[in-house]
Amino acid sequence: MPRLNFEGQNTSYATHGLHAYAAKCPPQLVRYALKYYSKPTNTVLDPMMGSGTTLVEAKLLNRKSVGYDIDPLARLIADVKSTPICDDQIRVAYERVTKHLPKMGESGNGSNRIFGRPEFVNSEYWFSDDVAQSLALLADRIRNTKMPAAIRRFLWVAFTSLILAKTSVANARDIVHSRHHFWEHSSAPDVFGKFSKRVLSMRKQMLNFWSQVSKHDTEAKAILGDARNLRQTAESVDLVFTSPPYVTALDYTRSHFLAVAWLENELGLSLEQYKTRAAAYIGTERQPSVRRETKETVDEVKSLKSVLASLRAETPTQALLTERYFIDMYSVMREIKRILRPGKHAVLVVCPSHIRKIEVPSHEILMEIGNSVGLNAKKCYSRVIDARKRLLPFVKPSFGNRMSTEYVLIFRKD
């Protein structure tokens, strides 16, 4: 059995620390899968890439990679993290953007309407006037300063990292989690100063990444798409690696909305459209509908039956949400089987859940689903989650024990 805990190891090398993201997979775990189940220049695909850990590791190990995610902000972050950029280009663009920015306290008069401030319910509640004015000015400079598209995306990621952070410039704490709450700063954060420090830190990380991959010509593609219906040719992939969302544990649209509100033009959709898309996310609690055409298939999954029976007795709504989750994951597993080449592997990192103190053994259920779609479940390894490294949602004692163990599932397409 391989040693997969990686306790105490650095998980922020290269560009892995470029942006905070909930429930990130440790890069060492991706590296393990790439080394054992693929070769240089092979094609690796992550159908639920999140912030792009798989793409970065694939680039570092000279593998071609494709990542899909339904969340447009995730796609932006993953694209920036996996695209090597020359530091001189970043420096020139940054200096143009920040030239003549006002000092702290000179960004504007809070009594006036703030041009460029996103308009949504409770905008003033989450962003003080001083912070909103500074963010609006910074966003305007990033948007309208001439620079290559890749550099602009890099600076947008620096911008969003000021909002989606443990210590956000917004009036919020734990904002990376979907259960963030209001917290007012005692004094207005220095948005421009934080942006400068953040860009400098990101430049160092990108320079490290650039130095490691500059000789590689393998491509990394981050695509906005749905893991249940991939725009991928059949039998075109040598390895699938992914870490699916938890069963109803995280709400990425709720976690990301304060940043998305500032990037509507860049992401190509309004905040209201973004929130509406939440109903389509795997693991969402927003719309507990079940598509009947696949329900009969998951009804045959024995390890799921007992869980659903217990949940229906305790909380029917959560039972419906859980059922929907595994219906969606059935579609994902079917797509993984379709795109894998014969003899190749899929590696899934799965964490069980506790819903109203009822354990949901997601690893056992997904192994059974994998077998039912034609993927041979070969191995199941357990690993301990390093709570100091991973951003997990707070779970109240009444909901059950905090998630501390996850499983690495190895499938093979025979």
Side-chain angles (χ1 to χ4, degrees):
M1 178 176 175
R3 301 178 64 180
L4 302 175
N5 289 345
F6 311 117
E7 186 176 358
Q9 295 191 28
N10 176 26
T11 58
S12 297
Y13 59 86
T15 53
H16 289 303
L18 218 60
H19 198 290
Y21 202 86
K24 284 199 290 187
C25 183
Q28 290 88 350
L29 194 51
V30 184
R31 180 163 292 229
Y32 150 77
L34 292 174
K35 285 187 173 181
Y36 273 82
Y37 299 105
S38 72
K39 299 177 181 179
T41 72
N42 275 181
T43 299
V44 181
L45 184 140
D46 189 338
M48 293 172 278
M49 66 181 168
S51 64
T53 301
T54 300
L55 274 61
V56 173
E57 281 301 304
K59 189 75 175 177
L60 289 169
L61 294 179
N62 198 25
R63 273 76 164 160
K64 301 175 185 176
S65 62
V66 182
Y68 289 83
D69 205 280
I70 197 170
D71 190 286
L73 183 60
R75 187 261 173 187
L76 173 66
I77 297 169
D79 179 65
V80 170
K81 285 172 63 176
S82 59
T83 303
I85 305 174
C86 174
D87 184 64
D88 283 343
Q89 290 183 305
I90 301 174
R91 177 185 55 78
V92 169
Y94 165 77
E95 289 175 353
R96 289 174 179 170
V97 166
T98 58
K99 188 177 182 180
H100 303 313
L101 279 177
K103 295 180 181 180
M104 179 66 178
E106 299 178 350
S107 54
N109 188 337
S111 62
N112 297 328
R113 182 178 182 275
I114 300 170
F115 176 75
R117 178 179 191 150
E119 296 181 3
F120 62 92
V121 177
N122 291 331
S123 172
E124 295 81 3
Y125 177 79
W126 293 110
F127 295 100
S128 69
D129 284 349
D130 285 340
V131 168
Q133 181 69 72
S134 297
L135 288 174
L137 179 56
L138 191 54
D140 181 73
R141 294 282 183 87
I142 296 172
R143 187 174 291 117
N144 294 310
T145 300
K146 186 177 181 180
M147 68 183 81
I151 310 300
R152 197 183 313 278
R153 290 193 293 269
F154 180 93
L155 294 179
W156 279 126
V157 168
F159 179 94
T160 62
S161 72
L162 303 182
I163 300 170
L164 301 182
K166 286 185 177 181
T167 306
S168 173
V169 296
N171 291 326
R173 298 190 73 169
D174 296 327
I175 198 170
V176 181
H177 304 155
S178 58
R179 292 171 175 82
H180 59 272
H181 58 275
F182 179 83
W183 181 77
E184 188 171 8
H185 294 274
S186 57
S187 59
D190 181 2
V191 171
F192 302 138
K194 285 181 175 291
F195 181 74
S196 295
K197 290 180 180 179
R198 188 64 196 149
V199 171
L200 180 60
S201 173
M202 290 174 59
R203 284 175 59 190
K204 290 178 180 178
Q205 294 175 62
M206 181 57 72
L207 189 59
N208 177 273
F209 181 57
W210 172 279
S211 67
Q212 294 185 66
V213 305
S214 58
K215 294 181 180 179
H216 299 170
D217 59 0
T218 48
E219 185 180 19
K221 292 182 180 179
I223 300 171
L224 186 65
D226 192 331
R228 293 158 292 194
N229 186 23
L230 298 171
R231 302 189 301 275
Q232 195 73 25
T233 305
E235 299 187 351
S236 61
V237 173
D238 300 291
L239 172 66
V240 170
F241 181 97
T242 197
S243 180
Y246 301 122
V247 182
T248 73
L250 286 169
D251 186 331
Y252 285 100
T253 53
R254 185 182 295 139
S255 174
H256 294 167
F257 88 95
L258 290 178
V260 169
W262 293 89
L263 271 70
E264 290 186 345
N265 291 334
E266 287 66 37
L267 298 179
L269 78 173
S270 68
L271 181 57
E272 288 307 310
Q273 289 172 325
Y274 178 70
K275 290 181 176 180
T276 300
R277 289 166 64 103
Y281 283 40
I282 295 175
T284 183
E285 292 183 310
R286 301 295 182 94
Q287 185 180 339
S289 60
V290 174
R291 293 186 298 278
R292 296 294 303 180
E293 63 269 22
T294 48
K295 184 178 185 301
E296 287 72 18
T297 304
V298 296
D299 281 344
E300 301 304 315
V301 179
K302 296 178 181 179
S303 54
L304 180 59
K305 281 185 177 181
S306 61
V307 171
L308 293 179
S310 298
L311 285 172
R312 287 177 185 130
E314 178 71 23
T315 168
T317 298
Q318 289 296 325
L320 196 56
L321 289 168
T322 302
E323 184 177 38
R324 175 186 169 168
Y325 173 84
F326 286 107
I327 287 173
D328 286 336
M329 286 306 301
Y330 180 93
S331 298
V332 173
M333 298 298 288
R334 190 168 51 190
E335 279 292 271
I336 290 174
K337 192 254 183 180
R338 180 183 69 82
I339 64 175
L340 267 180
R341 293 190 173 103
K344 301 301 182 179
H345 294 82
V347 179
L348 274 67
V349 181
V350 178
C351 190
S353 298
H354 288 88
I355 300 176
R356 302 298 190 270
K357 295 188 177 181
I358 296 171
E359 184 176 354
V360 181
S362 303
H363 57 300
E364 296 177 5
I365 297 169
L366 289 176
M367 287 182 73
E368 191 174 345
I369 289 175
N371 282 326
S372 71
V373 302
L375 290 170
N376 186 4
K378 301 288 290 185
K379 297 176 183 177
C380 176
Y381 301 124
S382 64
R383 65 179 299 274
V384 177
I385 298 174
D386 189 344
R388 296 169 300 176
K389 293 287 186 180
R390 199 159 186 189
L391 294 171
L392 293 167
F394 173 75
V395 181
K396 295 180 180 179
S398 60
F399 288 1
N401 297 326
R402 182 181 289 273
M403 296 170 286
S404 60
T405 302
E406 64 186 4
Y407 295 86
V408 181
L409 313 182
I410 313 296
F411 298 90
R412 176 186 167 97
K413 180 178 176 179
D414 294 329

